[in-house]
Amino acid sequence: NAGVTQTPKFRILKIGQSMTLQCAQDMNHNYMYWYRQDPGMGLKLIYYSVGAGITDKGEVPNGYNVSRSTTEYFPLRLELAAPSQTSVYFCASSYSRGRDSNQPQHFGDGTRLSIL
Amino acid sequence: EDQVTQSPEALRLQEGESSSLNCSYTVSGLRGLFWYRQDPGKGPEFLFTLYSAGEEKEKERLKATLTKKESFLHITAPKPEDSATYLCAVPAYSGGYQKVTFGTGTKLQVIP
């Protein structure tokens, strides 16, 4: 029963490098999300997807890109890493039937990313 | 704009010393409230959903309650393994998608 799986768990990047954070879920959830969590700041939404082929920006999308070609996978791309992107990144998924839905999100264990 | 505020930011208890964590919220059209537990180095783990004012949910030493303006997470006779950060969150339907607003959490430390 894997749930939401994120890789890698840790990564150190140099300024200007690129990388992709991987996220996979096996619960057949239609919604997937990417958050970043900084100390004392809570979870901030970067991007979300309501289904395969459909993505949109959250609160803090600058410097990131996403794609969702299948229900299961939702990778997050950093193109030109900057020190401000040092954070812990969480992927989450949920099942939503629309306006009246109130299902909780289920989270992976995060990727700890440092940009030096 | 939806807002979720948790207090206190940090709480230190002796083992067996009961207490409560607070989550106050302002949201247009409450669709429920979630409580999560987050251990260091891990993602938030879902605990409860409360759907309407007056509802209560229990799990071991935890009991969550909900009013029209706030939710409480009561911890009865806590043990060291209850040490974690507890997050509350409220879902809303906005801009065509289900968004969730999270509080910044209460960091609980239970001392043996």
Side-chain angles (χ1 to χ4, degrees), chain A residues 29-79:
Chain A
H29 286 166
N30 52 345
Y31 275 57
M32 294 188 76
Y33 309 80
W34 275 104
Y35 291 91
R36 60 179 288 172
Q37 187 178 44
D38 300 301
M41 298 297 292
L43 288 156
K44 298 296 183 185
L45 183 66
I46 304 171
Y47 270 93
Y48 68 96
S49 169
V50 302
I54 307 170
T55 64
D56 208 343
K57 297 176 180 178
E59 301 171 78
V60 290
N62 292 343
Y64 308 95
N65 269 304
V66 295
S67 61
R68 188 153 179 222
S69 56
T70 67
T71 301
E72 296 82 8
Y73 299 102
F74 190 41
L76 178 71
R77 178 81 177 164
L78 281 71
E79 289 295 348

Side-chain angles (χ1 to χ4, degrees), chain B residues 18-95:
Chain B
S18 301
S19 187
S20 295
L21 314 182
N22 178 262
C23 171
S24 61
Y25 61 88
T26 54
V27 62
S28 54
L30 182 70
R31 288 173 172 76
L33 184 141
F34 307 133
W35 279 99
Y36 289 84
R37 169 190 171 126
Q38 186 173 20
D39 292 300
K42 297 289 187 180
E45 176 188 355
F46 171 68
L47 292 173
F48 305 110
T49 302
L50 300 167
Y51 292 99
S52 59
E55 187 174 3
E56 299 181 350
K57 291 273 180 76
E58 289 189 61
K59 182 178 181 179
E60 296 181 1
R61 294 173 293 282
L62 301 177
K63 179 180 178 180
T65 61
L66 182 66
T67 72
K68 289 185 178 179
K69 293 184 178 180
E70 57 192 353
S71 178
F72 294 93
L73 186 64
H74 308 278
I75 304 175
T76 303
K79 298 182 178 182
E81 52 262 42
D82 295 321
S83 297
T85 296
Y86 292 86
L87 303 172
C88 70
V90 291
Y93 198 80
S94 173

